[in-house]
mmCIF file of all heavy atoms in Angstrom:
data_model
loop_
_atom_site.group_PDB
_atom_site.id
_atom_site.type_symbol
_atom_site.label_atom_id
_atom_site.label_comp_id
_atom_site.label_asym_id
_atom_site.label_seq_id
_atom_site.Cartn_x
_atom_site.Cartn_y
_atom_site.Cartn_z
ATOM 1 N N MET A 191 -13.914 13.812 -18.217
ATOM 2 C CA MET A 191 -13.639 12.929 -17.063
ATOM 3 C C MET A 191 -12.454 12.024 -17.364
ATOM 4 O O MET A 191 -11.770 11.655 -16.461
ATOM 5 C CB MET A 191 -14.899 12.097 -16.826
ATOM 6 C CG MET A 191 -14.908 11.345 -15.577
ATOM 7 S SD MET A 191 -14.911 12.400 -14.148
ATOM 8 C CE MET A 191 -14.882 11.305 -12.849
ATOM 9 N N ASP A 192 -12.344 11.609 -18.612
ATOM 10 C CA ASP A 192 -11.255 10.745 -18.995
ATOM 11 C C ASP A 192 -9.907 11.451 -18.757
ATOM 12 O O ASP A 192 -8.913 10.771 -18.320
ATOM 13 C CB ASP A 192 -11.346 10.232 -20.403
ATOM 14 C CG ASP A 192 -10.325 9.245 -20.790
ATOM 15 O OD1 ASP A 192 -10.047 8.374 -19.938
ATOM 16 O OD2 ASP A 192 -9.809 9.308 -21.946
ATOM 17 N N GLN A 193 -9.843 12.738 -19.072
ATOM 18 C CA GLN A 193 -8.561 13.481 -18.921
ATOM 19 C C GLN A 193 -8.165 13.593 -17.448
ATOM 20 O O GLN A 193 -7.033 13.634 -17.098
ATOM 21 C CB GLN A 193 -8.700 14.826 -19.569
ATOM 22 C CG GLN A 193 -8.747 14.755 -21.099
ATOM 23 C CD GLN A 193 -8.825 16.150 -21.653
ATOM 24 O OE1 GLN A 193 -9.169 17.097 -20.989
ATOM 25 N NE2 GLN A 193 -8.593 16.287 -22.955
ATOM 26 N N LEU A 194 -9.206 13.759 -16.568
ATOM 27 C CA LEU A 194 -8.991 13.798 -15.121
ATOM 28 C C LEU A 194 -8.294 12.489 -14.657
ATOM 29 O O LEU A 194 -7.343 12.632 -13.840
ATOM 30 C CB LEU A 194 -10.266 14.132 -14.385
ATOM 31 C CG LEU A 194 -10.125 14.286 -12.908
ATOM 32 C CD1 LEU A 194 -9.179 15.402 -12.561
ATOM 33 C CD2 LEU A 194 -11.532 14.397 -12.263
ATOM 34 N N GLY A 195 -8.852 11.391 -15.021
ATOM 35 C CA GLY A 195 -8.224 10.181 -14.591
ATOM 36 C C GLY A 195 -6.834 9.937 -15.085
ATOM 37 O O GLY A 195 -5.975 9.543 -14.354
ATOM 38 N N SER A 196 -6.556 10.409 -16.399
ATOM 39 C CA SER A 196 -5.201 10.282 -16.887
ATOM 40 C C SER A 196 -4.215 11.285 -16.155
ATOM 41 O O SER A 196 -3.114 10.886 -15.888
ATOM 42 C CB SER A 196 -5.185 10.715 -18.330
ATOM 43 O OG SER A 196 -5.951 9.720 -19.114
ATOM 44 N N ALA A 197 -4.717 12.434 -15.764
ATOM 45 C CA ALA A 197 -3.918 13.411 -15.053
ATOM 46 C C ALA A 197 -3.600 12.841 -13.650
ATOM 47 O O ALA A 197 -2.434 12.999 -13.161
ATOM 48 C CB ALA A 197 -4.545 14.741 -14.988
ATOM 49 N N VAL A 198 -4.518 12.246 -13.031
ATOM 50 C CA VAL A 198 -4.270 11.689 -11.684
ATOM 51 C C VAL A 198 -3.313 10.529 -11.813
ATOM 52 O O VAL A 198 -2.413 10.384 -10.971
ATOM 53 C CB VAL A 198 -5.619 11.239 -10.985
ATOM 54 C CG1 VAL A 198 -5.342 10.388 -9.799
ATOM 55 C CG2 VAL A 198 -6.458 12.406 -10.695
ATOM 56 N N LEU A 199 -3.390 9.659 -12.831
ATOM 57 C CA LEU A 199 -2.507 8.567 -12.985
ATOM 58 C C LEU A 199 -1.160 9.103 -13.291
ATOM 59 O O LEU A 199 -0.173 8.552 -12.788
ATOM 60 C CB LEU A 199 -3.041 7.690 -14.191
ATOM 61 C CG LEU A 199 -2.239 6.434 -14.434
ATOM 62 C CD1 LEU A 199 -2.214 5.443 -13.246
ATOM 63 C CD2 LEU A 199 -2.809 5.706 -15.651
ATOM 64 N N VAL A 200 -0.939 10.049 -14.134
ATOM 65 C CA VAL A 200 0.347 10.608 -14.464
ATOM 66 C C VAL A 200 0.937 11.231 -13.182
ATOM 67 O O VAL A 200 2.194 11.059 -12.921
ATOM 68 C CB VAL A 200 0.193 11.651 -15.587
ATOM 69 C CG1 VAL A 200 1.598 12.419 -15.708
ATOM 70 C CG2 VAL A 200 -0.082 10.953 -16.872
ATOM 71 N N GLY A 201 0.164 11.922 -12.388
ATOM 72 C CA GLY A 201 0.628 12.474 -11.129
ATOM 73 C C GLY A 201 1.197 11.425 -10.195
ATOM 74 O O GLY A 201 2.227 11.603 -9.540
ATOM 75 N N CYS A 202 0.447 10.385 -10.084
ATOM 76 C CA CYS A 202 0.857 9.219 -9.217
ATOM 77 C C CYS A 202 2.189 8.601 -9.754
ATOM 78 O O CYS A 202 3.097 8.297 -9.019
ATOM 79 C CB CYS A 202 -0.175 8.165 -9.082
ATOM 80 S SG CYS A 202 -1.597 8.649 -8.171
ATOM 81 N N MET A 203 2.303 8.486 -11.021
ATOM 82 C CA MET A 203 3.559 7.966 -11.643
ATOM 83 C C MET A 203 4.737 8.833 -11.391
ATOM 84 O O MET A 203 5.883 8.365 -11.206
ATOM 85 C CB MET A 203 3.309 7.658 -13.082
ATOM 86 C CG MET A 203 2.365 6.594 -13.411
ATOM 87 S SD MET A 203 1.838 6.415 -15.129
ATOM 88 C CE MET A 203 3.405 6.111 -15.927
ATOM 89 N N VAL A 204 4.532 10.157 -11.468
ATOM 90 C CA VAL A 204 5.600 11.073 -11.261
ATOM 91 C C VAL A 204 6.088 11.020 -9.796
ATOM 92 O O VAL A 204 7.330 10.953 -9.523
ATOM 93 C CB VAL A 204 5.082 12.515 -11.580
ATOM 94 C CG1 VAL A 204 6.115 13.552 -11.029
ATOM 95 C CG2 VAL A 204 4.941 12.669 -13.122
ATOM 96 N N VAL A 205 5.111 10.933 -8.851
ATOM 97 C CA VAL A 205 5.519 10.864 -7.402
ATOM 98 C C VAL A 205 6.233 9.541 -7.182
ATOM 99 O O VAL A 205 7.306 9.456 -6.520
ATOM 100 C CB VAL A 205 4.256 10.991 -6.549
ATOM 101 C CG1 VAL A 205 4.606 10.625 -5.123
ATOM 102 C CG2 VAL A 205 3.716 12.357 -6.604
ATOM 103 N N LEU A 206 5.671 8.400 -7.658
ATOM 104 C CA LEU A 206 6.235 7.074 -7.404
ATOM 105 C C LEU A 206 7.610 6.854 -8.110
ATOM 106 O O LEU A 206 8.487 6.195 -7.649
ATOM 107 C CB LEU A 206 5.329 5.983 -7.807
ATOM 108 C CG LEU A 206 4.127 5.889 -6.987
ATOM 109 C CD1 LEU A 206 3.133 4.788 -7.580
ATOM 110 C CD2 LEU A 206 4.352 5.555 -5.534
ATOM 111 N N GLY A 207 7.818 7.588 -9.183
ATOM 112 C CA GLY A 207 9.142 7.577 -9.886
ATOM 113 C C GLY A 207 10.128 8.516 -9.367
ATOM 114 O O GLY A 207 11.340 8.294 -9.327
ATOM 115 N N GLY A 208 9.597 9.631 -8.818
ATOM 116 C CA GLY A 208 10.505 10.645 -8.355
ATOM 117 C C GLY A 208 11.159 10.420 -7.038
ATOM 118 O O GLY A 208 12.342 10.790 -6.803
ATOM 119 N N ILE A 209 10.365 9.791 -6.146
ATOM 120 C CA ILE A 209 10.986 9.459 -4.817
ATOM 121 C C ILE A 209 12.193 8.608 -4.891
ATOM 122 O O ILE A 209 13.235 8.991 -4.300
ATOM 123 C CB ILE A 209 9.853 8.948 -3.904
ATOM 124 C CG1 ILE A 209 8.864 9.968 -3.578
ATOM 125 C CG2 ILE A 209 10.460 8.432 -2.612
ATOM 126 C CD1 ILE A 209 7.600 9.595 -2.876
ATOM 127 N N PRO A 210 12.109 7.475 -5.552
ATOM 128 C CA PRO A 210 13.374 6.673 -5.594
ATOM 129 C C PRO A 210 14.540 7.343 -6.382
ATOM 130 O O PRO A 210 15.681 7.169 -6.004
ATOM 131 C CB PRO A 210 12.985 5.395 -6.398
ATOM 132 C CG PRO A 210 11.472 5.371 -6.245
ATOM 133 C CD PRO A 210 11.043 6.723 -6.108
ATOM 134 N N SER A 211 14.207 8.124 -7.377
ATOM 135 C CA SER A 211 15.187 8.861 -8.078
ATOM 136 C C SER A 211 15.920 9.876 -7.228
ATOM 137 O O SER A 211 17.157 10.037 -7.211
ATOM 138 C CB SER A 211 14.588 9.599 -9.321
ATOM 139 O OG SER A 211 14.034 8.622 -10.180
ATOM 140 N N LEU A 212 15.129 10.599 -6.414
ATOM 141 C CA LEU A 212 15.760 11.576 -5.486
ATOM 142 C C LEU A 212 16.617 10.859 -4.442
ATOM 143 O O LEU A 212 17.665 11.329 -4.036
ATOM 144 C CB LEU A 212 14.724 12.362 -4.775
ATOM 145 C CG LEU A 212 13.982 13.440 -5.577
ATOM 146 C CD1 LEU A 212 12.884 14.066 -4.887
ATOM 147 C CD2 LEU A 212 15.027 14.475 -6.087
ATOM 148 N N TYR A 213 16.148 9.688 -3.935
ATOM 149 C CA TYR A 213 16.933 8.920 -2.959
ATOM 150 C C TYR A 213 18.254 8.472 -3.535
ATOM 151 O O TYR A 213 19.318 8.705 -2.906
ATOM 152 C CB TYR A 213 16.164 7.660 -2.550
ATOM 153 C CG TYR A 213 16.969 6.857 -1.586
ATOM 154 C CD1 TYR A 213 17.118 7.224 -0.275
ATOM 155 C CD2 TYR A 213 17.456 5.634 -2.064
ATOM 156 C CE1 TYR A 213 17.851 6.407 0.544
ATOM 157 C CE2 TYR A 213 18.241 4.854 -1.237
ATOM 158 C CZ TYR A 213 18.420 5.178 0.110
ATOM 159 O OH TYR A 213 19.103 4.401 0.896
ATOM 160 N N ILE A 214 18.284 8.027 -4.782
ATOM 161 C CA ILE A 214 19.541 7.603 -5.372
ATOM 162 C C ILE A 214 20.429 8.817 -5.677
ATOM 163 O O ILE A 214 21.628 8.804 -5.415
ATOM 164 C CB ILE A 214 19.274 6.830 -6.701
ATOM 165 C CG1 ILE A 214 18.633 5.508 -6.390
ATOM 166 C CG2 ILE A 214 20.545 6.695 -7.474
ATOM 167 C CD1 ILE A 214 18.086 4.764 -7.566
ATOM 168 N N LEU A 215 19.826 9.929 -6.111
ATOM 169 C CA LEU A 215 20.579 11.125 -6.390
ATOM 170 C C LEU A 215 21.261 11.711 -5.179
ATOM 171 O O LEU A 215 22.377 12.189 -5.273
ATOM 172 C CB LEU A 215 19.620 12.173 -6.983
ATOM 173 C CG LEU A 215 20.273 13.477 -7.467
ATOM 174 C CD1 LEU A 215 21.092 13.236 -8.685
ATOM 175 C CD2 LEU A 215 19.165 14.494 -7.729
ATOM 176 N N ILE A 216 20.696 11.544 -4.031
ATOM 177 C CA ILE A 216 21.260 12.108 -2.808
ATOM 178 C C ILE A 216 22.203 11.095 -2.084
ATOM 179 O O ILE A 216 23.273 11.495 -1.697
ATOM 180 C CB ILE A 216 20.064 12.549 -1.837
ATOM 181 C CG1 ILE A 216 19.328 13.747 -2.406
ATOM 182 C CG2 ILE A 216 20.709 12.880 -0.446
ATOM 183 C CD1 ILE A 216 18.115 14.071 -1.787
ATOM 184 N N SER A 217 21.755 9.841 -2.073
ATOM 185 C CA SER A 217 22.491 8.889 -1.250
ATOM 186 C C SER A 217 23.772 8.410 -1.884
ATOM 187 O O SER A 217 24.777 8.091 -1.263
ATOM 188 C CB SER A 217 21.662 7.654 -0.958
ATOM 189 O OG SER A 217 21.334 6.931 -2.156
ATOM 190 N N LEU A 218 23.815 8.251 -3.203
ATOM 191 C CA LEU A 218 25.051 7.838 -3.922
ATOM 192 C C LEU A 218 26.263 8.716 -3.662
ATOM 193 O O LEU A 218 27.308 8.199 -3.222
ATOM 194 C CB LEU A 218 24.781 7.603 -5.410
ATOM 195 C CG LEU A 218 25.837 6.831 -6.136
ATOM 196 C CD1 LEU A 218 25.924 5.452 -5.579
ATOM 197 C CD2 LEU A 218 25.410 6.741 -7.592
ATOM 198 N N PRO A 219 26.188 10.017 -3.831
ATOM 199 C CA PRO A 219 27.353 10.891 -3.539
ATOM 200 C C PRO A 219 27.742 10.816 -2.002
ATOM 201 O O PRO A 219 28.887 10.868 -1.687
ATOM 202 C CB PRO A 219 26.936 12.229 -3.906
ATOM 203 C CG PRO A 219 25.790 12.081 -4.797
ATOM 204 C CD PRO A 219 25.102 10.772 -4.502
ATOM 205 N N VAL A 220 26.707 10.687 -1.159
ATOM 206 C CA VAL A 220 27.017 10.646 0.294
ATOM 207 C C VAL A 220 27.802 9.400 0.617
ATOM 208 O O VAL A 220 28.820 9.429 1.360
ATOM 209 C CB VAL A 220 25.709 10.738 1.122
ATOM 210 C CG1 VAL A 220 25.974 10.392 2.584
ATOM 211 C CG2 VAL A 220 25.064 12.076 0.968
ATOM 212 N N ILE A 221 27.436 8.264 0.085
ATOM 213 C CA ILE A 221 28.134 6.992 0.281
ATOM 214 C C ILE A 221 29.544 7.093 -0.241
ATOM 215 O O ILE A 221 30.527 6.650 0.412
ATOM 216 C CB ILE A 221 27.327 5.861 -0.339
ATOM 217 C CG1 ILE A 221 26.095 5.569 0.444
ATOM 218 C CG2 ILE A 221 28.185 4.568 -0.257
ATOM 219 C CD1 ILE A 221 25.127 4.667 -0.240
ATOM 220 N N ILE A 222 29.733 7.681 -1.449
ATOM 221 C CA ILE A 222 31.036 7.715 -1.996
ATOM 222 C C ILE A 222 31.940 8.672 -1.152
ATOM 223 O O ILE A 222 33.124 8.304 -0.888
ATOM 224 C CB ILE A 222 30.948 8.305 -3.479
ATOM 225 C CG1 ILE A 222 30.355 7.208 -4.351
ATOM 226 C CG2 ILE A 222 32.369 8.598 -3.953
ATOM 227 C CD1 ILE A 222 29.966 7.696 -5.745
ATOM 228 N N VAL A 223 31.416 9.784 -0.660
ATOM 229 C CA VAL A 223 32.229 10.662 0.222
ATOM 230 C C VAL A 223 32.567 9.983 1.530
ATOM 231 O O VAL A 223 33.738 10.137 1.974
ATOM 232 C CB VAL A 223 31.482 11.987 0.448
ATOM 233 C CG1 VAL A 223 32.064 12.795 1.541
ATOM 234 C CG2 VAL A 223 31.389 12.792 -0.789
ATOM 235 N N GLN A 224 31.666 9.239 2.108
ATOM 236 C CA GLN A 224 31.925 8.489 3.329
ATOM 237 C C GLN A 224 33.096 7.472 3.173
ATOM 238 O O GLN A 224 33.962 7.411 3.968
ATOM 239 C CB GLN A 224 30.718 7.789 3.805
ATOM 240 C CG GLN A 224 29.724 8.727 4.490
ATOM 241 C CD GLN A 224 28.409 7.894 4.933
ATOM 242 O OE1 GLN A 224 28.224 6.769 4.413
ATOM 243 N NE2 GLN A 224 27.655 8.479 5.788
ATOM 244 N N LYS A 225 33.048 6.764 1.998
ATOM 245 C CA LYS A 225 34.046 5.794 1.760
ATOM 246 C C LYS A 225 35.446 6.406 1.531
ATOM 247 O O LYS A 225 36.486 5.880 2.013
ATOM 248 C CB LYS A 225 33.665 4.938 0.544
ATOM 249 C CG LYS A 225 32.547 3.999 0.848
ATOM 250 C CD LYS A 225 32.289 3.024 -0.240
ATOM 251 C CE LYS A 225 31.349 1.941 0.106
ATOM 252 N NZ LYS A 225 31.838 0.956 0.994
ATOM 253 N N VAL A 226 35.474 7.543 0.833
ATOM 254 C CA VAL A 226 36.769 8.229 0.558
ATOM 255 C C VAL A 226 37.248 8.777 1.913
ATOM 256 O O VAL A 226 38.479 8.655 2.164
ATOM 257 C CB VAL A 226 36.550 9.383 -0.489
ATOM 258 C CG1 VAL A 226 37.745 10.245 -0.499
ATOM 259 C CG2 VAL A 226 36.202 8.735 -1.874
ATOM 260 N N CYS A 227 36.423 9.326 2.741
ATOM 261 C CA CYS A 227 36.902 9.830 4.051
ATOM 262 C C CYS A 227 37.392 8.766 4.942
ATOM 263 O O CYS A 227 38.422 8.934 5.595
ATOM 264 C CB CYS A 227 35.710 10.548 4.733
ATOM 265 S SG CYS A 227 35.298 12.157 4.034
ATOM 266 N N ARG A 228 36.797 7.561 4.957
ATOM 267 C CA ARG A 228 37.283 6.415 5.671
ATOM 268 C C ARG A 228 38.632 5.966 5.138
ATOM 269 O O ARG A 228 39.510 5.543 5.925
ATOM 270 C CB ARG A 228 36.308 5.250 5.704
ATOM 271 C CG ARG A 228 35.149 5.441 6.695
ATOM 272 C CD ARG A 228 34.149 4.260 6.790
ATOM 273 N NE ARG A 228 34.662 3.075 6.048
ATOM 274 C CZ ARG A 228 34.041 1.933 5.987
ATOM 275 N NH1 ARG A 228 32.878 1.838 6.593
ATOM 276 N NH2 ARG A 228 34.408 0.943 5.367
ATOM 277 N N LYS A 229 38.738 5.980 3.846
ATOM 278 C CA LYS A 229 40.006 5.640 3.241
ATOM 279 C C LYS A 229 41.109 6.479 3.691
ATOM 280 O O LYS A 229 42.228 6.098 3.974
ATOM 281 C CB LYS A 229 39.846 5.535 1.731
ATOM 282 C CG LYS A 229 41.121 5.345 0.964
ATOM 283 C CD LYS A 229 41.591 3.941 1.080
ATOM 284 C CE LYS A 229 42.790 3.672 0.191
ATOM 285 N NZ LYS A 229 43.425 2.436 0.397
ATOM 286 N N ILE A 230 40.867 7.837 3.672
ATOM 287 C CA ILE A 230 41.842 8.805 4.042
ATOM 288 C C ILE A 230 42.210 8.721 5.514
ATOM 289 O O ILE A 230 43.383 8.717 5.925
ATOM 290 C CB ILE A 230 41.488 10.206 3.552
ATOM 291 C CG1 ILE A 230 41.368 10.321 2.075
ATOM 292 C CG2 ILE A 230 42.341 11.228 4.162
ATOM 293 C CD1 ILE A 230 40.726 11.568 1.625
ATOM 294 N N LYS A 231 41.145 8.718 6.381
ATOM 295 C CA LYS A 231 41.369 8.785 7.789
ATOM 296 C C LYS A 231 41.797 7.458 8.436
ATOM 297 O O LYS A 231 42.742 7.513 9.248
ATOM 298 C CB LYS A 231 40.011 9.177 8.404
ATOM 299 C CG LYS A 231 40.112 9.580 9.895
ATOM 300 C CD LYS A 231 38.817 10.162 10.394
ATOM 301 C CE LYS A 231 38.981 10.653 11.800
ATOM 302 N NZ LYS A 231 37.728 11.200 12.331
ATOM 303 N N TYR A 232 41.254 6.385 7.969
ATOM 304 C CA TYR A 232 41.600 5.098 8.688
ATOM 305 C C TYR A 232 42.375 4.117 7.770
ATOM 306 O O TYR A 232 42.809 3.072 8.245
ATOM 307 C CB TYR A 232 40.301 4.401 9.105
ATOM 308 C CG TYR A 232 39.498 5.200 10.078
ATOM 309 C CD1 TYR A 232 38.271 5.679 9.754
ATOM 310 C CD2 TYR A 232 40.026 5.494 11.364
ATOM 311 C CE1 TYR A 232 37.542 6.466 10.621
ATOM 312 C CE2 TYR A 232 39.243 6.263 12.269
ATOM 313 C CZ TYR A 232 38.055 6.729 11.860
ATOM 314 O OH TYR A 232 37.246 7.471 12.738
ATOM 315 N N GLY A 233 42.514 4.461 6.502
ATOM 316 C CA GLY A 233 43.257 3.517 5.561
ATOM 317 C C GLY A 233 42.478 2.281 5.229
ATOM 318 O O GLY A 233 43.096 1.297 4.812
ATOM 319 N N LYS A 234 41.215 2.319 5.385
ATOM 320 C CA LYS A 234 40.349 1.159 5.066
ATOM 321 C C LYS A 234 40.134 1.085 3.549
ATOM 322 O O LYS A 234 40.251 1.969 2.811
ATOM 323 C CB LYS A 234 38.995 1.223 5.789
ATOM 324 C CG LYS A 234 39.097 1.039 7.241
ATOM 325 C CD LYS A 234 37.792 0.910 7.943
ATOM 326 C CE LYS A 234 37.909 0.653 9.347
ATOM 327 N NZ LYS A 234 36.674 0.241 9.971
ATOM 328 N N SER A 235 39.758 -0.138 3.057
ATOM 329 C CA SER A 235 39.529 -0.388 1.702
ATOM 330 C C SER A 235 38.256 0.262 1.255
ATOM 331 O O SER A 235 37.238 0.432 2.054
ATOM 332 C CB SER A 235 39.389 -1.908 1.448
ATOM 333 O OG SER A 235 39.025 -2.083 0.114
ATOM 334 N N LEU A 236 38.154 0.724 0.017
ATOM 335 C CA LEU A 236 36.926 1.375 -0.436
ATOM 336 C C LEU A 236 35.787 0.408 -0.647
ATOM 337 O O LEU A 236 34.551 0.722 -0.693
ATOM 338 C CB LEU A 236 37.226 2.070 -1.797
ATOM 339 C CG LEU A 236 38.154 3.286 -1.739
ATOM 340 C CD1 LEU A 236 38.353 3.780 -3.121
ATOM 341 C CD2 LEU A 236 37.498 4.365 -0.916
ATOM 342 N N SER A 237 36.069 -0.902 -0.745
ATOM 343 C CA SER A 237 35.054 -1.917 -0.926
ATOM 344 C C SER A 237 34.459 -2.497 0.332
ATOM 345 O O SER A 237 33.564 -3.285 0.254
ATOM 346 C CB SER A 237 35.630 -3.133 -1.744
ATOM 347 O OG SER A 237 36.616 -3.740 -0.990
ATOM 348 N N ASP A 238 34.899 -1.988 1.494
ATOM 349 C CA ASP A 238 34.294 -2.455 2.768
ATOM 350 C C ASP A 238 32.995 -1.685 3.088
ATOM 351 O O ASP A 238 32.805 -0.592 2.780
ATOM 352 C CB ASP A 238 35.281 -2.208 3.938
ATOM 353 C CG ASP A 238 36.359 -3.238 3.912
ATOM 354 O OD1 ASP A 238 36.285 -4.271 3.192
ATOM 355 O OD2 ASP A 238 37.413 -3.016 4.533
#
């Protein structure tokens, strides 16, 4: 029974840690590409 509780706890930790990690992994390159495209197309600063 103790191993079952540990397995459930580890599963919850994997899900709760994996979702933010996937969000950062996907969103960071998208934001960088958007900023570079705006810089090329409109001449705006990368820090805006």
